Structures are given as structure tokens and as C-alpha cells.
Amino acid sequence: MSSTAIVSASDENYQDAVKAAVPLLRAGEVVALPTETVYGLAGNAFDPLAVAKIFSAKERPSFDPLIVHVAHRADLERVCVIPEDIQPTVEKLLNAFWPGPLTIVLPKHPDVPDLVTSGLGTVAVRQSANKIFRAISKELGQPLAAPSANRFGRISPTSAGAVMRELEGRIPLIVDGGACSEGLESTIIHLTAGEKRPTITILRPGPITKEMLQNFGKVERPKRPRDGSAPTAPGMLPSHYAPRTPLLLIENAADFRPQPGKRYGLLSYTGEPGKGYVSLHRWAAMETLSPGNGKLPEAALRLFHLLRKLDEAELDYIVAEPVSEVGLGVAIMDRLRRAAAPI
Ligand code: TXA
Ligand code: MG
């Protein structure tokens, strides 16, 4: 592959994008598409060769399975088999959150290629709310396997420009649908039937928060291996979403001990002088997640974009200030902790 084309699209006008993307997808190619969370690198989920191209463009290890995106709810039965004991809960969750940033892990349909699920008996499924993404999937008539459109372990892209920096020359087309509206990857859950209430296990925190899921069952986080060795479930790799510049997540300001002569940049939460980490150091660069009063949805939306900006500012270290760990703050802190984990 030599050059990567870009085609623009909007919620009102996406015909050119459909015309450019669908023939490529039909021919087993991969295309980067906007979703409401982050940009995805999409291929026909039922075409193992297209799926193999996704893994190779991303340099993703084959043990890390992909999310399958359905255009219609009716397509669910093409990709998974919903156990009877959780069927009512699945129904309620879909009514509440689909289309949208909720991914559910369900037993896989035998027709889904093993490569998509890395040989697991389950498949992760969601329905994106992005109109352009859905129009392309509908026209193709197939569900799309789509991981985030970054190289493995790197920061997820929230704009077409960021996808270009990650995958230029590796894929034929990027559909530019503007900036993503959520900015953080979908919440991934797994369900188990309980005697009274089902248990909802959050495998990856995201825009659909614990608080939002509590009406539907008992919500818990999976247990992590204590020695930090092998992940207990895919998607729980500790090092992820990492900039190239080392990121220090300093949870207590008193723990920040700068080395002389090094350039430190700050990812501030509210950016207010005299508050938080702003006055802690003469920062070589500073970006603010949510200027002013610190609003978590705004912080989530800007997180990956600003991390990428700081990563390009020729710093020795990026220091991240913690955000309050409630609601969306749980997902933001999850991404910061994983970005900060040693590679
Ligand atoms: O918002 C999103 O979910 C974006 C957009 C493009 O839809 N996609 C995304 O995909 O974040 P990706 O591949 O970067 O992350 C998917 C995560 C991986 O960590 C993978 O391990 C996990 O989902 N996953 C996929 N299938 C799974 C399964 N059967 N069981 C448990 N985890 C699974
Ligand atoms: Mg990803």
C-alpha cells in the first residue's frame, strides 16, 4: 500500500464516503471510519482476509480480539447467540444504550471467523451511533469488525488527522467525519445471570458509566492478577493508549520531583493558576482537559487529542494530573493509568 486517500463526510452528506468506502470493503480492504467514540479501522467481519488486514495494519497481536459493529439490531443474531437467562437484561440494555458506546460480550455465532475473536467463544458487539459509519455498514450489508484506528498500544485517534499519523501508507482510505463526539472508547461489559439480579462486569470503563448501568444489575469490575502478569481477560493489558513520550501520572502533587535539565509538560485538569498542578513547576508545555470548572465529559472528549499534542511537543516527560474518579472520571483515570504503565 502506498498512499492513503481521505474522503470527507458529515451527518447530512455522506454519499461520497459511502461510494468510496463500500467497494473497498466489498473487495476485502480495510477503511478507517468515524464512530462517536474514536475512529475505527473497519473491515467486513465475515471476511477473514479483511480481518487479517486489520491486524496487520495495526501491528496488533492476534490474541487481542476485535469488536464487531452491527448496523441493525436484527444483525445481532448473525454474530452471537444470546443465552436465555440473560436475554431480558440484554434487551433492556440495548433499549437504553443502543446505538451508542456500549459493547456487550456475548457467546459467538459459529459463522464469525475465529480470527475476529482470537479463538474465544465470545464476541464483543456494539452498534455505533455514528450516521456515516452506519450508512456504510448498511450499504455493505455486513457487520464491521473495527478496533480503534491506531497502531497497537498507542493513543486512540479522535480525528482523521490522527488516523493519518498512525496509519498513513498502511490503509487505502480514511473517511473524515470530523472530531468524535465522545472521545473515549466504548464501555465493554459482560453479563452473568444471578438468582435475583444479573451481574454486569465492566471489562473496560467508558462513556456508559457504572452509575448508568446500576439500574440493570449488580455492577462490578473484574479482578486483576496481583502480580501484574498475564491479563485475566482480553482488553485488560496494562500498557495501552501510550504516547511515545513517557507519561507520569502523579496522583499526589508532593510526589513530583523533577530532574534538572528535563523538559516536563503538564496535562492539567482545569488549568487554573494557583490550583492543582499548574503552579507546581515551570512547565515547558501545558494542555488543559477542561478549562475552568473541570467538566468530565469535556475532559473525556479532549483526552486523547491533548495527549497526542503533548506527545508531539518534544518533551522528556508528560505529567498527568488526576481527575476526580467518579462517573466518566473512572474511564479517564483508567486510560491515564494504562498510558502511564511501563512498556
Ligand atoms: O469505542 C470503541 O469500542 C472503539 C470503536 C472503534 O468502536 N473500538 C475499540 O476497539 O476500542 P479496540 O479493538 O481498540 O478495543 C476493543 C477491546 C480490546 O481491548 C479487546 O481485547 C476487547 O475489546 N475485546 C474484544 N473482544 C472481546 C471478547 N470476546 N471478550 C473480552 N474482551 C474483548
Ligand atoms: Mg484500541
Side-chain angles (χ1 to χ4, degrees):
M1 185 84 38
S2 50
S3 72
T4 300
I6 293 202
V7 56
S8 294
S10 68
D11 281 2
E12 296 75 40
N13 192 348
Y14 44 73
Q15 284 317 315
D16 288 351
V18 172
K19 271 190 212 136
V22 171
L24 285 168
L25 292 167
R26 215 161 256 152
E29 269 305 334
V30 295
V31 175
L33 300 178
T35 85
E36 73 279 40
T37 57
V38 301
Y39 273 73
L41 181 60
N44 177 355
F46 287 120
D47 178 348
L49 288 178
V51 175
K53 282 186 189 162
I54 296 177
F55 279 95
S56 99
K58 275 184 64 95
E59 295 173 26
R60 181 174 176 127
S62 58
F63 60 74
D64 197 6
L66 308 181
I67 294 178
V68 173
H69 300 67
V70 291
H72 310 274
R73 262 219 229 167
D75 280 347
L76 253 188
E77 58 196 54
R78 295 175 65 196
V79 299
C80 63
V81 185
I82 305 176
E84 256 172 47
D85 56 355
I86 56 167
Q87 165 82 41
T89 311
V90 171
E91 197 70 27
K92 283 183 206 153
L93 287 166
L94 301 193
N95 288 339
F97 301 116
W98 274 24
L102 181 72
T103 298
I104 309 188
V105 173
L106 290 162
K108 145 187 184 321
H109 190 289
D111 288 354
V112 175
D114 285 332
L115 194 51
V116 171
T117 62
S118 303
L120 294 174
T122 54
V123 60
V125 200
R126 88 172 182 101
Q127 184 186 35
S128 172
N130 185 287
K131 277 196 175 171
I132 306 161
F133 187 101
R134 288 170 66 196
I136 289 170
S137 182
K138 277 182 193 166
E139 182 67 24
L140 179 70
Q142 302 290 3
L144 292 171
S148 51
N150 50 278
R151 270 178 282 158
F152 181 69
R154 297 288 172 200
I155 305 170
S156 298
T158 52
S159 66
V163 178
M164 197 54 122
R165 287 198 282 288
E166 289 287 324
L167 299 175
E168 183 166 17
R170 293 164 176 251
I171 59 172
L173 182 68
I174 300 171
V175 174
D176 182 354
C180 299
S181 59
E182 298 280 354
L184 275 189
E185 304 87 348
S186 62
T187 304
I188 305 181
I189 61 168
H190 175 264
L191 301 172
T192 31
E195 271 178 30
K196 286 198 187 119
R197 302 184 80 201
T199 299
I200 303 175
T201 309
I202 300 183
L203 300 174
R204 178 176 70 183
I208 305 297
T209 61
K210 181 178 177 187
E211 291 80 355
M212 292 158 83
L213 292 167
Q214 259 155 356
N215 288 337
F216 303 88
K218 182 168 162 278
V219 183
E220 55 183 42
R221 285 303 306 271
K223 288 149 199 79
R224 278 185 173 278
R226 285 194 184 279
D227 60 359
S229 61
T232 52
M236 291 176 68
L237 294 174
S239 170
H240 222 104
Y241 314 105
R244 287 180 174 80
T245 316
L247 181 112
L248 311 172
L249 172 61
I250 311 247
E251 302 210 24
N252 288 305
D255 294 340
F256 178 55
R257 301 213 180 77
Q259 298 169 40
K262 298 282 185 201
R263 282 167 53 83
Y264 289 84
L266 176 67
L267 182 65
S268 165
Y269 181 22
T270 66
E272 283 184 287
K275 270 202 189 168
Y277 289 34
V278 177
S279 49
L280 209 58
H281 185 70
R282 286 188 55 150
W283 304 105
M286 184 175 100
E287 298 294 344
T288 301
L289 287 171
S290 178
N293 290 328
K295 297 193 178 63
L296 291 167
E298 184 182 32
L301 183 61
R302 288 157 56 84
L303 175 69
F304 289 144
H305 171 67
L306 296 181
L307 266 182
R308 209 170 262 284
K309 227 170 143 183
L310 286 170
D311 201 17
E312 287 163 9
E314 293 181 15
L315 300 163
D316 294 304
Y317 295 98
I318 300 169
V319 171
E321 182 179 355
V323 305
S324 35
E325 213 161 355
V326 289
L328 255 180
V330 175
I332 297 173
M333 287 299 284
D334 168 76
R335 303 308 188 273
L336 285 174
R337 286 203 179 99
R338 293 203 224 187
I343 297 180

PDB file of all heavy atoms in Angstrom, residues 13-34:
ATOM      1  N   ASN A  13     -24.416  14.667   4.760  1.00  0.00           N
ATOM      2  CA  ASN A  13     -23.910  14.426   3.416  1.00  0.00           C
ATOM      3  C   ASN A  13     -22.784  13.386   3.447  1.00  0.00           C
ATOM      4  O   ASN A  13     -21.634  13.725   3.669  1.00  0.00           O
ATOM      5  CB  ASN A  13     -23.405  15.777   2.864  1.00  0.00           C
ATOM      6  CG  ASN A  13     -23.141  15.695   1.386  1.00  0.00           C
ATOM      7  OD1 ASN A  13     -23.111  14.593   0.814  1.00  0.00           O
ATOM      8  ND2 ASN A  13     -22.922  16.833   0.758  1.00  0.00           N
ATOM      9  N   TYR A  14     -23.184  12.127   3.243  1.00  0.00           N
ATOM     10  CA  TYR A  14     -22.169  11.073   3.327  1.00  0.00           C
ATOM     11  C   TYR A  14     -22.142  10.167   2.095  1.00  0.00           C
ATOM     12  O   TYR A  14     -21.521   9.116   2.111  1.00  0.00           O
ATOM     13  CB  TYR A  14     -22.338  10.253   4.607  1.00  0.00           C
ATOM     14  CG  TYR A  14     -23.763   9.883   4.935  1.00  0.00           C
ATOM     15  CD1 TYR A  14     -24.432   8.922   4.202  1.00  0.00           C
ATOM     16  CD2 TYR A  14     -24.431  10.507   5.985  1.00  0.00           C
ATOM     17  CE1 TYR A  14     -25.737   8.573   4.505  1.00  0.00           C
ATOM     18  CE2 TYR A  14     -25.742  10.170   6.295  1.00  0.00           C
ATOM     19  CZ  TYR A  14     -26.390   9.207   5.552  1.00  0.00           C
ATOM     20  OH  TYR A  14     -27.676   8.879   5.842  1.00  0.00           O
ATOM     21  N   GLN A  15     -22.846  10.607   1.038  1.00  0.00           N
ATOM     22  CA  GLN A  15     -22.923   9.738  -0.135  1.00  0.00           C
ATOM     23  C   GLN A  15     -21.552   9.466  -0.772  1.00  0.00           C
ATOM     24  O   GLN A  15     -21.270   8.341  -1.182  1.00  0.00           O
ATOM     25  CB  GLN A  15     -23.890  10.312  -1.190  1.00  0.00           C
ATOM     26  CG  GLN A  15     -25.363  10.103  -0.824  1.00  0.00           C
ATOM     27  CD  GLN A  15     -25.641   8.703  -0.267  1.00  0.00           C
ATOM     28  OE1 GLN A  15     -25.178   7.698  -0.794  1.00  0.00           O
ATOM     29  NE2 GLN A  15     -26.373   8.637   0.844  1.00  0.00           N
ATOM     30  N   ASP A  16     -20.718  10.501  -0.852  1.00  0.00           N
ATOM     31  CA  ASP A  16     -19.385  10.306  -1.451  1.00  0.00           C
ATOM     32  C   ASP A  16     -18.575   9.291  -0.640  1.00  0.00           C
ATOM     33  O   ASP A  16     -17.843   8.467  -1.201  1.00  0.00           O
ATOM     34  CB  ASP A  16     -18.590  11.626  -1.484  1.00  0.00           C
ATOM     35  CG  ASP A  16     -19.149  12.577  -2.530  1.00  0.00           C
ATOM     36  OD1 ASP A  16     -20.018  12.138  -3.312  1.00  0.00           O
ATOM     37  OD2 ASP A  16     -18.731  13.755  -2.526  1.00  0.00           O
ATOM     38  N   ALA A  17     -18.715   9.394   0.680  1.00  0.00           N
ATOM     39  CA  ALA A  17     -17.973   8.468   1.551  1.00  0.00           C
ATOM     40  C   ALA A  17     -18.475   7.039   1.359  1.00  0.00           C
ATOM     41  O   ALA A  17     -17.675   6.096   1.290  1.00  0.00           O
ATOM     42  CB  ALA A  17     -18.111   8.907   3.014  1.00  0.00           C
ATOM     43  N   VAL A  18     -19.795   6.881   1.256  1.00  0.00           N
ATOM     44  CA  VAL A  18     -20.363   5.542   1.038  1.00  0.00           C
ATOM     45  C   VAL A  18     -19.829   4.993  -0.276  1.00  0.00           C
ATOM     46  O   VAL A  18     -19.385   3.839  -0.357  1.00  0.00           O
ATOM     47  CB  VAL A  18     -21.918   5.589   1.050  1.00  0.00           C
ATOM     48  CG1 VAL A  18     -22.503   4.238   0.631  1.00  0.00           C
ATOM     49  CG2 VAL A  18     -22.429   5.987   2.432  1.00  0.00           C
ATOM     50  N   LYS A  19     -19.840   5.844  -1.320  1.00  0.00           N
ATOM     51  CA  LYS A  19     -19.381   5.404  -2.654  1.00  0.00           C
ATOM     52  C   LYS A  19     -17.902   5.029  -2.663  1.00  0.00           C
ATOM     53  O   LYS A  19     -17.480   4.137  -3.403  1.00  0.00           O
ATOM     54  CB  LYS A  19     -19.604   6.529  -3.673  1.00  0.00           C
ATOM     55  CG  LYS A  19     -20.970   6.442  -4.308  1.00  0.00           C
ATOM     56  CD  LYS A  19     -21.063   7.415  -5.480  1.00  0.00           C
ATOM     57  CE  LYS A  19     -22.485   7.929  -5.598  1.00  0.00           C
ATOM     58  NZ  LYS A  19     -22.577   9.375  -5.828  1.00  0.00           N
ATOM     59  N   ALA A  20     -17.117   5.724  -1.856  1.00  0.00           N
ATOM     60  CA  ALA A  20     -15.676   5.416  -1.837  1.00  0.00           C
ATOM     61  C   ALA A  20     -15.370   4.205  -0.955  1.00  0.00           C
ATOM     62  O   ALA A  20     -14.522   3.375  -1.301  1.00  0.00           O
ATOM     63  CB  ALA A  20     -14.902   6.642  -1.321  1.00  0.00           C
ATOM     64  N   ALA A  21     -16.077   4.093   0.179  1.00  0.00           N
ATOM     65  CA  ALA A  21     -15.710   3.060   1.160  1.00  0.00           C
ATOM     66  C   ALA A  21     -16.276   1.680   0.826  1.00  0.00           C
ATOM     67  O   ALA A  21     -15.574   0.666   0.990  1.00  0.00           O
ATOM     68  CB  ALA A  21     -16.177   3.487   2.560  1.00  0.00           C
ATOM     69  N   VAL A  22     -17.528   1.644   0.372  1.00  0.00           N
ATOM     70  CA  VAL A  22     -18.186   0.330   0.234  1.00  0.00           C
ATOM     71  C   VAL A  22     -17.490  -0.585  -0.785  1.00  0.00           C
ATOM     72  O   VAL A  22     -17.257  -1.764  -0.478  1.00  0.00           O
ATOM     73  CB  VAL A  22     -19.705   0.501  -0.021  1.00  0.00           C
ATOM     74  CG1 VAL A  22     -20.359  -0.830  -0.391  1.00  0.00           C
ATOM     75  CG2 VAL A  22     -20.360   1.094   1.226  1.00  0.00           C
ATOM     76  N   PRO A  23     -17.118  -0.092  -1.990  1.00  0.00           N
ATOM     77  CA  PRO A  23     -16.423  -1.001  -2.919  1.00  0.00           C
ATOM     78  C   PRO A  23     -15.117  -1.548  -2.342  1.00  0.00           C
ATOM     79  O   PRO A  23     -14.783  -2.714  -2.567  1.00  0.00           O
ATOM     80  CB  PRO A  23     -16.145  -0.118  -4.142  1.00  0.00           C
ATOM     81  CG  PRO A  23     -17.117   1.003  -4.048  1.00  0.00           C
ATOM     82  CD  PRO A  23     -17.355   1.230  -2.591  1.00  0.00           C
ATOM     83  N   LEU A  24     -14.406  -0.717  -1.591  1.00  0.00           N
ATOM     84  CA  LEU A  24     -13.161  -1.198  -0.969  1.00  0.00           C
ATOM     85  C   LEU A  24     -13.467  -2.296   0.045  1.00  0.00           C
ATOM     86  O   LEU A  24     -12.825  -3.358   0.047  1.00  0.00           O
ATOM     87  CB  LEU A  24     -12.429  -0.042  -0.270  1.00  0.00           C
ATOM     88  CG  LEU A  24     -11.703   0.953  -1.180  1.00  0.00           C
ATOM     89  CD1 LEU A  24     -11.279   2.195  -0.394  1.00  0.00           C
ATOM     90  CD2 LEU A  24     -10.468   0.282  -1.809  1.00  0.00           C
ATOM     91  N   LEU A  25     -14.472  -2.057   0.892  1.00  0.00           N
ATOM     92  CA  LEU A  25     -14.834  -3.062   1.910  1.00  0.00           C
ATOM     93  C   LEU A  25     -15.314  -4.346   1.246  1.00  0.00           C
ATOM     94  O   LEU A  25     -14.993  -5.445   1.682  1.00  0.00           O
ATOM     95  CB  LEU A  25     -15.910  -2.500   2.846  1.00  0.00           C
ATOM     96  CG  LEU A  25     -15.434  -1.360   3.758  1.00  0.00           C
ATOM     97  CD1 LEU A  25     -16.615  -0.650   4.405  1.00  0.00           C
ATOM     98  CD2 LEU A  25     -14.497  -1.901   4.849  1.00  0.00           C
ATOM     99  N   ARG A  26     -16.068  -4.167   0.155  1.00  0.00           N
ATOM    100  CA  ARG A  26     -16.572  -5.343  -0.571  1.00  0.00           C
ATOM    101  C   ARG A  26     -15.412  -6.156  -1.156  1.00  0.00           C
ATOM    102  O   ARG A  26     -15.473  -7.380  -1.255  1.00  0.00           O
ATOM    103  CB  ARG A  26     -17.491  -4.847  -1.701  1.00  0.00           C
ATOM    104  CG  ARG A  26     -18.636  -5.773  -1.927  1.00  0.00           C
ATOM    105  CD  ARG A  26     -19.773  -5.111  -2.687  1.00  0.00           C
ATOM    106  NE  ARG A  26     -20.889  -4.781  -1.802  1.00  0.00           N
ATOM    107  CZ  ARG A  26     -21.735  -3.791  -1.990  1.00  0.00           C
ATOM    108  NH1 ARG A  26     -21.606  -2.981  -3.030  1.00  0.00           N
ATOM    109  NH2 ARG A  26     -22.710  -3.603  -1.139  1.00  0.00           N
ATOM    110  N   ALA A  27     -14.346  -5.456  -1.525  1.00  0.00           N
ATOM    111  CA  ALA A  27     -13.174  -6.137  -2.103  1.00  0.00           C
ATOM    112  C   ALA A  27     -12.231  -6.667  -1.018  1.00  0.00           C
ATOM    113  O   ALA A  27     -11.105  -7.075  -1.305  1.00  0.00           O
ATOM    114  CB  ALA A  27     -12.434  -5.173  -3.022  1.00  0.00           C
ATOM    115  N   GLY A  28     -12.678  -6.626   0.244  1.00  0.00           N
ATOM    116  CA  GLY A  28     -11.857  -7.196   1.318  1.00  0.00           C
ATOM    117  C   GLY A  28     -10.797  -6.244   1.841  1.00  0.00           C
ATOM    118  O   GLY A  28      -9.859  -6.662   2.516  1.00  0.00           O
ATOM    119  N   GLU A  29     -10.961  -4.939   1.541  1.00  0.00           N
ATOM    120  CA  GLU A  29     -10.000  -3.955   2.050  1.00  0.00           C
ATOM    121  C   GLU A  29     -10.457  -3.428   3.419  1.00  0.00           C
ATOM    122  O   GLU A  29     -11.581  -3.700   3.849  1.00  0.00           O
ATOM    123  CB  GLU A  29      -9.886  -2.773   1.063  1.00  0.00           C
ATOM    124  CG  GLU A  29      -8.809  -2.951   0.019  1.00  0.00           C
ATOM    125  CD  GLU A  29      -7.431  -3.238   0.622  1.00  0.00           C
ATOM    126  OE1 GLU A  29      -7.179  -2.836   1.779  1.00  0.00           O
ATOM    127  OE2 GLU A  29      -6.614  -3.888  -0.049  1.00  0.00           O
ATOM    128  N   VAL A  30      -9.579  -2.653   4.043  1.00  0.00           N
ATOM    129  CA  VAL A  30      -9.939  -2.033   5.322  1.00  0.00           C
ATOM    130  C   VAL A  30      -9.999  -0.509   5.145  1.00  0.00           C
ATOM    131  O   VAL A  30      -9.264   0.056   4.336  1.00  0.00           O
ATOM    132  CB  VAL A  30      -8.920  -2.391   6.435  1.00  0.00           C
ATOM    133  CG1 VAL A  30      -8.976  -3.877   6.723  1.00  0.00           C
ATOM    134  CG2 VAL A  30      -7.505  -1.969   6.066  1.00  0.00           C
ATOM    135  N   VAL A  31     -10.902   0.128   5.885  1.00  0.00           N
ATOM    136  CA  VAL A  31     -11.123   1.572   5.762  1.00  0.00           C
ATOM    137  C   VAL A  31     -11.277   2.153   7.166  1.00  0.00           C
ATOM    138  O   VAL A  31     -11.951   1.554   8.012  1.00  0.00           O
ATOM    139  CB  VAL A  31     -12.420   1.837   4.940  1.00  0.00           C
ATOM    140  CG1 VAL A  31     -12.737   3.314   4.891  1.00  0.00           C
ATOM    141  CG2 VAL A  31     -12.289   1.274   3.523  1.00  0.00           C
ATOM    142  N   ALA A  32     -10.664   3.310   7.416  1.00  0.00           N
ATOM    143  CA  ALA A  32     -10.844   3.958   8.721  1.00  0.00           C
ATOM    144  C   ALA A  32     -12.124   4.787   8.699  1.00  0.00           C
ATOM    145  O   ALA A  32     -12.342   5.579   7.770  1.00  0.00           O
ATOM    146  CB  ALA A  32      -9.639   4.837   9.050  1.00  0.00           C
ATOM    147  N   LEU A  33     -12.957   4.593   9.705  1.00  0.00           N
ATOM    148  CA  LEU A  33     -14.269   5.250   9.754  1.00  0.00           C
ATOM    149  C   LEU A  33     -14.461   5.955  11.099  1.00  0.00           C
ATOM    150  O   LEU A  33     -14.000   5.464  12.130  1.00  0.00           O
ATOM    151  CB  LEU A  33     -15.386   4.210   9.609  1.00  0.00           C
ATOM    152  CG  LEU A  33     -15.426   3.360   8.345  1.00  0.00           C
ATOM    153  CD1 LEU A  33     -16.578   2.356   8.430  1.00  0.00           C
ATOM    154  CD2 LEU A  33     -15.603   4.255   7.111  1.00  0.00           C
ATOM    155  N   PRO A  34     -15.221   7.069  11.066  1.00  0.00           N
ATOM    156  CA  PRO A  34     -15.513   7.736  12.342  1.00  0.00           C
ATOM    157  C   PRO A  34     -16.583   6.972  13.122  1.00  0.00           C
ATOM    158  O   PRO A  34     -17.481   6.376  12.518  1.00  0.00           O
ATOM    159  CB  PRO A  34     -16.067   9.093  11.901  1.00  0.00           C
ATOM    160  CG  PRO A  34     -16.660   8.848  10.548  1.00  0.00           C
ATOM    161  CD  PRO A  34     -15.829   7.760   9.919  1.00  0.00           C
TER     162      PRO A  34
END
